[in-house]
Amino acid sequence: MLSAPLAAHQACDAASLRFARIFRGQFTLSQSEELHIDGYRATDLGDGWRLHHCRSTPFARLHGEDGALAGVVLGLAVDGAGKLVTDGYVLATSFEAFVTAAAGRYVAIDGAGAIYADPTGSMGVVYDANTRTVASTPLMCLDRPIIENPRFDVDAVQGGRGSYALGFTRDAYVRGVMPNHRLDLANFTLTRFWPKADATFPTNGPDQTIAAMGQRLSDVIGAIAAGYTTLLPLSGGRDSRNLAAAAKPHLAQIAQSYTFVSNWQGKIDAELSEQIAASLGLEHVTYASFIATDQERDTPNRVARRRQKTAFRLAAGYVGDANNDVLDGLSRKVPKGVVLRGNVMELLKANHWKRGLARDAAHPDGHDADYATERLAILPAGGAQTVAAFKPDYLAWKATLPHGAQALAYDFAFIESLLPGWQPKFYGYTRNFLVNPFSDRALIAGCLRLPVAERQANVYNDALLTHLAPELASIPFTPDLKRARLNAA
């Protein structure tokens, strides 16, 4: 059983960092009677299980219609009817049916003894079967130093040239709870619960699918904005623009939109974002560290940046280094609140597919396991080395997909392996709570019903924008404006 101090405490002490600040927003679930985490709230869940969780993280106890405690949700969830899940929420369905329908960034713990990650693993969940511990990140799951997983290149992962995909972590014995699987607390086994065995994803009715997706996305954003101070980052790309479009009915409850500028392209993003915000009547703020040239920057000194990098690595579980907005101190200028993110919406452009298969096959049901394994970006050398090392793991994961989802294995690999491999970085943003409104199984299923080749051509990205906010369609996208300015230079 686990005991204090956790590896997280030990790592903070070694780096002269404050645990309370670095591990803000995290949790540990254990049956250990010896574990106490100063500053964290402790909630007893029955059968000796105790959830130790940061007080800053949204927390809701769920009850059955008989009033009995049915489970808890840590993080931010919106149910299938578009209602924000808050403390005292009453389940109208089974716990698993509730989880299947819930959008957001959360961990759901069933009182019957099971753990569920959110639809895309955006709120990381890891476990160590040896000590029967579940936690947010590896350092919160251990009371010993990390035992390196020899299959991965630690430095490459930190540098963004590799990934802990397929449910692996830096520690050889700590694994991730993959999205769409339940972790049974009795025996610490993972079992797929979605898609169900008889699931199908027919590609008929794209207009109706887009309309339904637009409504659901808008409902999710509306529920979040009604319950929390909500911020919307904007860029000149498609994802944030579609989020802004879906937020139209709820703009009065969006506190602010903003853009980070840390390079020349960011200046183009800011210019286009200001046009989007003006069109919608949103208050917009640009936070810039980039002034005119790469040599002219308004950033913290080297020592402060190095310290911030260390803190981020500890908080995020060593899944990659911080982005410029963190290292430049820009993220600390943003008001506190919930930050909406556009991750997951890459499904609308089928970004994980091999383009040749989608374009050239009569139907995109072919599958190239070598390509699929390479696409997980696990090892820096890529190619043959990655395939040789991880193809069996990939095929074992693929075999868990039901028959009706096998043809969409590329999409599911993106949802269940690639995204959860890097999204624990969200834990490094300790000032704000980051949420993907598109992290929702209804929205994911909608994408999977749309033909792949048309997704790759951005047909449905454009259709969603036209459906939600046609006035934004005439504003250029960053790649187009960047290309035009480079050509004119």
Side-chain angles (χ1 to χ4, degrees):
M1 288 291 183
L2 211 62
S3 63
L6 295 174
H9 291 104
Q10 298 168 32
C12 284
D13 289 345
S16 298
L17 295 168
R18 288 179 57 238
F19 170 85
R21 177 178 176 185
I22 306 308
F23 285 88
R24 187 174 186 268
Q26 302 206 32
F27 69 92
T28 300
L29 177 69
S30 173
Q31 289 177 308
S32 171
E33 296 180 356
E34 300 177 18
L35 180 62
H36 300 279
I37 303 177
D38 288 344
Y40 272 34
R41 179 179 179 181
T43 300
D44 291 319
L45 301 179
D47 292 331
W49 289 103
R50 176 172 289 183
L51 178 64
H52 305 262
H53 50 112
C54 180
R55 296 175 185 274
S56 70
T57 305
F59 171 77
R61 285 164 290 204
L62 278 56
H63 299 277
E65 293 181 331
D66 60 356
L69 181 67
V72 301
V73 168
L74 189 62
L76 197 159
V78 176
D79 73 8
K83 179 182 178 182
L84 186 68
V85 177
T86 56
D87 200 26
Y89 179 94
V90 177
L91 287 174
T93 63
S94 69
F95 194 91
E96 191 159 285
F98 158 79
V99 171
T100 301
R105 180 179 169 224
Y106 60 84
V107 178
I109 306 173
D110 187 348
I115 299 253
Y116 300 83
D118 66 57
T120 61
S122 61
M123 189 161 177
V125 194
V126 301
Y127 66 96
D128 181 356
N130 295 318
T131 60
R132 296 178 56 80
T133 305
V134 184
S136 46
T137 52
L139 292 180
M140 292 294 292
C141 198
L142 301 170
D143 57 7
R144 57 163 173 80
I146 280 182
I147 298 173
E148 299 291 350
N149 191 326
R151 302 180 68 187
F152 294 84
D153 184 329
V154 174
D155 293 335
V157 173
Q158 283 301 143
R161 296 176 292 108
S163 172
Y164 295 117
L166 295 166
F168 291 103
T169 73
R170 181 174 175 177
D171 189 88
Y173 298 97
V174 176
R175 296 297 301 268
V177 177
M178 297 184 78
N180 305 321
H181 293 68
R182 77 176 71 83
L183 177 67
D184 189 327
L185 291 176
N187 53 24
F188 275 74
T189 56
L190 282 176
T191 307
R192 178 178 291 281
F193 71 91
W194 188 85
K196 293 186 179 297
D198 59 353
T200 59
F201 298 90
T203 58
N204 56 316
D207 290 344
Q208 292 80 4
T209 298
I210 288 295
M213 289 173 65
Q215 186 62 58
R216 173 60 175 167
L217 184 59
S218 182
D219 289 346
V220 172
I221 292 173
I224 294 170
Y228 295 93
T229 298
T230 302
L231 308 162
L232 174 63
L234 287 177
S235 71
R238 293 180 181 274
D239 298 342
S240 67
R241 190 172 308 193
N242 273 333
L243 285 184
K248 262 182 66 175
H250 317 289
L251 291 178
Q253 295 170 307
I254 301 293
Q256 175 187 297
S257 65
Y258 67 89
T259 303
F260 289 136
V261 177
S262 57
N263 54 34
W264 176 74
Q265 180 173 306
K267 294 186 73 174
I268 296 177
D269 280 328
E271 180 182 329
L272 296 174
S273 298
E274 287 166 5
Q275 293 182 45
I276 294 167
S279 180
L280 295 173
L282 270 173
E283 177 188 349
H284 187 80
V285 179
T286 296
Y287 300 99
S289 59
F290 175 85
I291 310 300
T293 68
D294 283 333
Q295 288 73 41
E296 189 178 357
R297 301 180 65 85
D298 177 21
T299 61
N301 63 40
R302 187 174 300 176
V303 173
R305 286 168 67 87
R306 186 163 56 244
R307 186 175 176 81
Q308 180 60 61
K309 182 179 286 190
T310 298
F312 193 91
R313 288 182 174 187
L314 299 184
Y318 304 104
V319 298
D321 279 335
N323 298 332
N324 284 339
D325 55 292
V326 173
L327 295 179
D328 290 355
L330 296 178
S331 63
R332 300 199 66 77
K333 297 182 180 180
V334 176
K336 293 182 179 180
V338 171
V339 172
L340 305 181
R341 293 289 298 253
N343 310 112
V344 192
M345 295 185 74
E346 294 97 329
L347 283 173
L348 265 179
K349 51 192 172 194
N351 68 319
H352 206 62
W353 279 77
K354 184 176 181 179
R355 289 185 176 272
L357 285 177
R359 282 203 305 261
D360 301 335
H363 184 273
D365 58 358
H367 184 264
D368 182 341
D370 286 4
Y371 164 79
T373 305
E374 290 177 27
R375 191 72 177 82
L376 296 176
I378 297 171
L379 298 177
Q385 183 180 349
T386 301
V387 171
F390 289 96
K391 183 177 176 179
D393 299 281
Y394 171 78
L395 290 175
W397 163 81
K398 182 176 179 291
T400 70
L401 290 171
H403 176 75
Q406 284 287 329
L408 297 162
Y410 295 131
D411 288 316
F412 278 99
F414 172 68
I415 297 163
E416 297 185 3
S417 188
L418 198 65
L419 282 175
W422 72 263
Q423 285 186 133
K425 289 175 74 171
F426 287 174
Y427 281 121
Y429 291 81
T430 54
R431 182 179 175 83
N432 298 93
F433 192 84
L434 277 58
V435 176
N436 300 319
F438 212 88
S439 183
D440 174 65
R441 293 180 182 87
L443 288 168
I444 290 168
C447 284
L448 303 188
R449 294 190 185 100
L450 300 170
V452 173
E454 293 178 9
R455 276 196 275 159
Q456 289 185 327
N458 274 318
V459 168
Y460 301 114
N461 255 316
D462 293 342
L464 184 61
L465 185 64
T466 299
H467 175 74
L468 292 170
E471 67 272 25
L472 301 182
S474 61
I475 299 174
F477 294 99
T478 293
D480 302 325
L481 191 53
K482 180 180 177 182
R483 191 179 306 114
R485 290 187 176 174
L486 287 173
N487 291 337

